[in-house]
Amino acid sequence: MIYEKSKAKRIIVDKTKVRDIVYSTINDMATIVGATLGPGGNPVLIERDGLSPLITKDGVTVAKSLGVENAEANIIVDAAKEICLKTAKEAGDGTTTAIVLANSITKYGRVFLDKNPKYNPQRVVNELSDVYKDVIVPFLQDKARSVDSKDELVDVAKISANGDLRIAQCAVDAVLAAGEDGHVLIEEAQGNQLKVETIDGFIVTTGLKDIGAIGRAFINDKANQQVKMDNGLVFLYDGTLNDLKVPSAIQQAVEGSEYYGLPITVFAHGFADVVLEAFAKTTKGGYTVTPIKTPMSGIANSRSSFLLDMSAYSGGQVFDPGNIDKFIEEDSVDGFGRFKAAKVGMYETVIQSEPDTEKLETRILELKHLMEISPSDFDKMHIKASIGKLTGGISTIWVGGGSELEAREKRDRVEDAVEAVKSAISEGVIPGGCSVQLTLSWMISNHPNRKPSWEIMALALSEPFNLLLSNCGESVDEVWPNLREHIRESANKKELPTKVFDANQHIVVDAVKTGIIEPAKVCRVSIGNALSVASLLVTLGGIVVTPRDFNLENQLALSKQAFKDMMSGTGVGQE
């Protein structure tokens, strides 16, 4: 074993110093990220290495960009970023609220421990976890109501899109078109456009380009540079077709049957030149046989998995080197799948079929199980996309802007709106405007089994409301008296409030009538993740970091940018 000398580290164990670093850092984070909260929030300008600056009002984007000179503070920033990323990933929105709550829990936790020096910090964490599990989560799950109409989903999306009705409508249209298990893609568009496209059918991310120059020989729709077919057969092969044995067997199987003359799509991992030439010759003779390469993603056995998906969608059997001889001997069309329509373009293929419901549901359940047990987020993303293709649920939102800055900022809001709509559908909605947090705060303060440390959570839950008012130029002392009695009554009845403060109109309004609602999942996840990181920071006993070397960091950054410029063939500083 080779001995490796440890790097020089800086160790901080002084409790007062550790706490000061923690609280000042998390407070600075909450201040800059919190500046984006609510209708009165403001966008933040972010400098980016090798790219043009970015202006955004998206809390998670601001949080991800943060970094500080001090190594001890920087490690706190990195730890706190996790709650923003986790909240965005789980609920799609509420990242700003999460960091504001984390700061408040940390701040009031420090005050509580200073007043009660004999109170074990771990005991505080355990008791706060109890109030979250026993009071907050059950209340949100029991009282959240399902979405009644498309208009309510638009209301939810509009808040996440910072009041942009057009973005909200596009997000709702895309999610509803994709369906429960569908997949929504967000792509860059040319110009200042924003539109939704929904493709009906199973999308295959390979086309004629993938089989080489001979691909153009199969085109029968020259205007659109594609192969267009109706009512045909699907042949699936888990392997590479290296000779004419299988193509000949395919032709013999359909000759003399009722399917003779129908177009055929052949899926395989690869095709030898002799096979492609045979298919092209057959196609020129008026009998269309189109080869399509099975697409490959970054996950293991992705090509074989795709064939199983297509088998469930088209009803065809997946053949492989182990069972292909039986197909050749039987000379039967029983193993073929069916399609109603197919379009094979240069870069992608769309297959439309009428799948057997039972087979399709069985395959979807298999994929959902795989997604649950998969340890990799990357794998889960690809499996989810496969489920969307099987359900025919693929929507694309095309987002453009007058400038690169505008396009990126708009894309952030579109992503938030889409995820907020999904969260609303999955767990229902609650009144917005931070009114539910105020109700929970009152419930916790007056709970019959209240523990002393619950005061931390009760105080923290009022902070997002205070910041919402501050950002829109209002005072808590002026607004709170108009809401206090209603919030107290709702908390005593253990019901959701119906009145909220409208930060746009600066008046107290009915939440449902004015459309100020938010997904219950966003509220639950933001509180849970805030508590998770605050619990870590409150109990911190020391910090171990590597001192930052800015000269070395700058050299590495310049080297990285120079390498990117060299690989992309652009000049230094260009994109």
Side-chain angles (χ1 to χ4, degrees), residues 39 145 151-152 154-160 429-436 468 497-519:
R145 63 177 182 81
D151 289 341
E152 285 193 334
V154 171
D155 289 335
V156 168
K158 186 179 175 183
I159 291 173
S160 288
V429 293
I430 56 175
C434 302
S435 58
V436 172
L468 179 74
T498 57
K499 294 180 180 179
V500 300
F501 179 75
D502 186 338
N504 272 322
Q505 301 183 62
H506 296 259
I507 56 174
V508 175
V509 297
D510 184 284
V512 176
K513 289 181 180 178
T514 52
I516 302 178
I517 54 178
E518 67 176 2

Side-chain angles (χ1 to χ4, degrees), residues 394-407:
I394 300 288
S395 296
T396 303
I397 303 178
W398 295 92
V399 185
S403 66
E404 183 195 353
L405 279 177
E406 183 187 342

Side-chain angles (χ1 to χ4, degrees), residues 352-403:
Q352 291 178 305
S353 182
E354 293 180 343
D356 180 278
T357 305
E358 188 175 338
K359 286 182 180 178
L360 198 65
E361 288 179 354
T362 301
R363 180 58 182 164
I364 290 172
L365 287 173
E366 287 175 1
L367 290 171
K368 285 183 175 180
H369 177 66
L370 283 174
M371 191 162 65
E372 287 176 5
I373 63 174
S374 175
S376 165
D377 290 337
F378 181 77
D379 288 359
K380 287 180 179 178
M381 178 186 70
H382 281 283
I383 295 169
K384 187 175 181 181
S386 296
I387 294 172
K389 290 177 181 179
L390 283 174
T391 58
I394 300 288
S395 296
T396 303
I397 303 178
W398 295 92
V399 185
S403 66

Side-chain angles (χ1 to χ4, degrees), residues 125-252:
V125 170
N126 293 339
E127 290 178 355
L128 291 178
S129 295
D130 289 340
V131 72
Y132 175 70
K133 290 185 293 184
D134 299 339
V135 179
I136 295 172
V137 173
F139 178 77
L140 293 173
Q141 290 178 340
D142 291 345
K143 301 303 177 182
R145 63 177 182 81
S146 57
V147 180
D148 294 330
S149 65
K150 180 180 177 180
D151 289 341
E152 285 193 334
L153 287 177
V154 171
D155 289 335
V156 168
K158 186 179 175 183
I159 291 173
S160 288
N162 294 328
D164 193 315
L165 180 60
R166 193 168 164 225
I167 287 178
Q169 289 172 333
C170 284
V172 172
D173 288 343
V175 172
L176 293 180
E180 182 182 353
D181 295 314
H183 197 57
V184 177
L185 304 174
I186 301 172
E187 301 288 350
E188 249 182 63
Q190 295 296 320
N192 194 18
Q193 63 174 308
L194 180 67
K195 64 178 182 178
V196 178
E197 284 184 358
T198 303
I199 300 175
D200 183 21
F202 191 107
I203 301 174
V204 185
T205 55
T206 53
L208 298 175
K209 274 278 188 185
D210 295 278
I211 57 174
I214 199 172
R216 294 186 179 277
F218 295 91
I219 293 175
N220 60 11
D221 180 2
K222 294 189 182 296
N224 295 301
Q225 288 292 288
Q226 65 182 5
V227 184
K228 190 175 180 181
M229 299 170 281
D230 294 312
N231 299 317
L233 304 175
V234 178
F235 183 83
L236 307 172
Y237 186 71
D238 193 0
T240 299
L241 296 179
N242 293 311
D243 53 46
L244 295 177
K245 185 167 64 171
V246 174
S248 299
I250 293 172
Q251 189 170 352
Q252 289 173 14

Side-chain angles (χ1 to χ4, degrees), residues 329-503:
E329 291 170 7
E330 290 181 351
D331 198 20
S332 169
V333 295
D334 290 343
F336 285 85
R338 308 283 189 274
F339 67 79
K340 285 195 307 178
K343 294 178 182 178
V344 186
M346 297 304 294
Y347 301 99
E348 72 173 15
T349 301
V350 180
I351 304 289
Q352 291 178 305
S353 182
E354 293 180 343
D356 180 278
T357 305
E358 188 175 338
K359 286 182 180 178
L360 198 65
E361 288 179 354
T362 301
R363 180 58 182 164
I364 290 172
L365 287 173
E366 287 175 1
L367 290 171
K368 285 183 175 180
H369 177 66
L370 283 174
M371 191 162 65
E372 287 176 5
I373 63 174
S374 175
S376 165
D377 290 337
F378 181 77
D379 288 359
K380 287 180 179 178
M381 178 186 70
H382 281 283
I383 295 169
K384 187 175 181 181
S386 296
I387 294 172
K389 290 177 181 179
L390 283 174
T391 58
I394 300 288
S395 296
T396 303
I397 303 178
W398 295 92
V399 185
S403 66
E404 183 195 353
L405 279 177
E406 183 187 342
R408 295 189 185 206
E409 191 274 336
K410 191 186 290 185
R411 180 179 174 130
D412 289 338
R413 288 188 286 139
V414 170
E415 288 175 353
D416 283 351
V418 166
E419 293 303 327
V421 171
K422 290 180 179 179
S423 294
I425 292 172
S426 65
E427 292 189 18
V429 293
I430 56 175
C434 302
S435 58
V436 172
Q437 286 92 331
L438 293 175
T439 303
L440 286 166
S441 175
W442 197 289
M443 286 174 59
I444 292 167
S445 296
N446 297 278
H447 198 278
N449 299 323
R450 179 179 179 272
K451 296 182 173 70
S453 63
W454 286 17
E455 172 191 358
I456 299 168
M457 183 63 79
L459 291 169
L461 285 170
S462 65
E463 287 296 311
F465 177 72
N466 296 343
L467 183 58
L468 179 74
L469 296 182
S470 176
N471 283 353
C472 69
E474 291 285 354
S475 167
V476 176
D477 295 335
E478 293 178 5
V479 175
W480 175 234
N482 299 323
L483 271 176
R484 183 193 296 116
E485 189 59 31
H486 176 67
I487 294 296
R488 183 188 66 79
E489 188 178 335
S490 300
N492 290 339
K493 291 181 178 179
K494 293 184 173 57
E495 295 289 342
L496 291 172
T498 57
K499 294 180 180 179
V500 300
F501 179 75
D502 186 338

